[in-house]
Amino acid sequence: MLKELGAFGALVGFGLVIAQLGQVFGWSHTVSWILTGLVVAGFAVLTKSFGRPFLAFLIIIMMPLATTEIGTDGWISSLMEEPMKAAGHNAGWVLVYTSFVMMVLRFFAGPIVHKLSPLGLLVACSILAILGLLALSQTAGAGMLAVFGAATLYAFGKTFFWPTMLGVTSEQCPKGGALTLNAMGGIGMLAVGILGFPFIGGLQESTATAQLAKANPALHQTVTVDSSYLLGPYKAIDPVKAAKVTAPAEKEALKAANTAGQFSALAKMAFFPAFMLCCYVGLLLYFRAKGGYKPVQLEGAPSGAH
């Protein structure tokens, strides 16, 4: 089981855990990388394995997948606040609606996956997620019907991502057992918190500050600060400084910049399912060249065993 995960799985998994601990205890990036290197070296000596390449590829896909699903879910209520408020409703209903769609669709997961195959389903979900995120990014100032129409596309796209990925992991890396399944889920959840949410925030703030710099350069100089996260530095609007702005024109400029930043970042989020789509199409072609997608059977296991 440990060999399936190998040094690469340890690098990603323990690297994310140590990065989170570094944020809690204020460690420098150097300290975090040294600790990660020591743990990975110990894991490599213990297992004498890089890890199964197919599993390593799935781990890479799992991080943008988790950010596409959970990252957007954690952000969508605040993002839809203005259009939903204009329609007289609470923004949380968008999240409730997409969760309800997921619940209903998952009752029909068996027939759908047998019809399309696991990888075919993941390809279809990636396309729908791209269209859903792009549609949601165009709902600023739109009516409730447009918001829920875009949310429906997004919900259809994200419904089968997580369980199907774990299913593919289970079928293609059976020697890893519960360890690889839990590692995949854990890496996805950690990636959202450590990389996904800060990346979304960085996208939003970068777009907002760029918009503000064009609209009101003087105000931009006044309210922005230098900020950074794990992937690098960026400019951000300081909420404390922004709260001190009293001129109506400047308040309007700040509001317009923040709105533009939010919806532009949502459109850029479509990069994640687009990357996943390329990976899934590659896997689909790979298995087609081998005669089709088939679960890996452990030696000595009955042909019908799962």
Side-chain angles (χ1 to χ4, degrees):
M1 292 169 73
L2 293 174
K3 283 180 179 292
E4 288 282 287
L5 194 62
F8 181 81
L11 173 64
V12 178
F14 286 110
L16 289 171
V17 170
I18 292 171
Q20 181 64 75
L21 291 174
Q23 292 177 7
V24 172
F25 295 109
W27 298 337
S28 68
H29 290 328
T30 302
V31 170
S32 295
W33 277 113
I34 289 173
L35 291 174
T36 300
L38 291 173
V39 172
V40 172
F43 202 89
V45 170
L46 173 67
T47 62
K48 297 181 176 62
S49 169
F50 171 80
R52 186 167 181 183
F54 189 89
L55 180 63
F57 191 59
L58 293 182
I59 287 172
I60 292 170
I61 300 173
M62 192 67 185
M63 291 187 278
L65 182 151
T67 302
T68 299
E69 180 177 339
I70 302 173
T72 308
D73 279 353
W75 184 34
I76 201 167
S77 293
S78 61
L79 189 66
M80 294 292 111
E81 187 172 354
E82 287 300 321
M84 288 296 287
K85 188 186 292 183
H89 298 281
N90 189 295
W93 282 112
V94 179
L95 182 58
V96 171
Y97 172 71
T98 57
S99 299
F100 176 76
V101 171
M102 288 176 65
M103 180 191 73
V104 172
L105 286 176
R106 285 182 177 180
F107 281 113
F108 304 95
I112 294 173
V113 78
H114 283 299
K115 182 73 174 177
L116 297 178
S117 86
L119 292 175
L121 179 58
L122 288 168
V123 167
C125 286
S126 298
I127 294 171
L128 289 172
I130 293 168
L131 295 175
L133 288 170
L134 292 176
L136 281 169
S137 73
Q138 300 300 314
T139 56
M144 195 169 67
L145 186 61
V147 170
F148 278 93
T152 301
L153 266 179
Y154 166 66
F156 271 68
K158 70 172 182 171
T159 293
F160 300 111
F161 273 147
W162 197 284
T164 309
M165 272 293 285
L166 292 183
V168 171
T169 302
S170 176
E171 290 183 337
Q172 297 302 317
C173 307
K175 288 184 179 179
L179 176 67
T180 51
L181 289 176
N182 281 282
M184 286 288 285
I187 285 170
M189 295 295 289
L190 285 165
V192 174
I194 298 167
L195 302 175
F197 281 127
F199 182 74
I200 293 170
L203 282 178
Q204 179 180 329
E205 291 290 350
S206 297
T207 306
T209 51
Q211 172 84 5
L212 188 60
K214 291 179 182 177
N216 194 323
L219 180 61
H220 173 268
Q221 291 293 329
T222 303
V223 300
T224 57
V225 293
D226 292 321
S227 189
S228 65
Y229 68 121
L230 194 62
L231 299 180
Y234 63 93
K235 281 279 188 183
I237 296 175
D238 188 336
V240 176
K241 293 181 178 179
K244 295 177 181 177
V245 174
T246 56
E250 292 184 338
K251 280 187 172 182
E252 190 60 33
L254 275 173
K255 182 180 178 181
N258 281 320
T259 300
Q262 287 180 328
F263 285 92
S264 174
L266 190 58
K268 292 173 183 175
M269 283 283 291
F271 167 79
F272 290 120
F275 170 77
M276 290 152 53
L277 176 61
C278 294
C279 293
Y280 292 139
V281 169
L283 288 176
L284 203 61
L285 295 174
Y286 167 74
F287 279 105
R288 183 170 294 177
K290 293 179 63 177
Y293 180 90
K294 295 176 184 176
V296 173
Q297 294 289 338
L298 293 175
E299 291 183 11
S303 60
H306 295 285

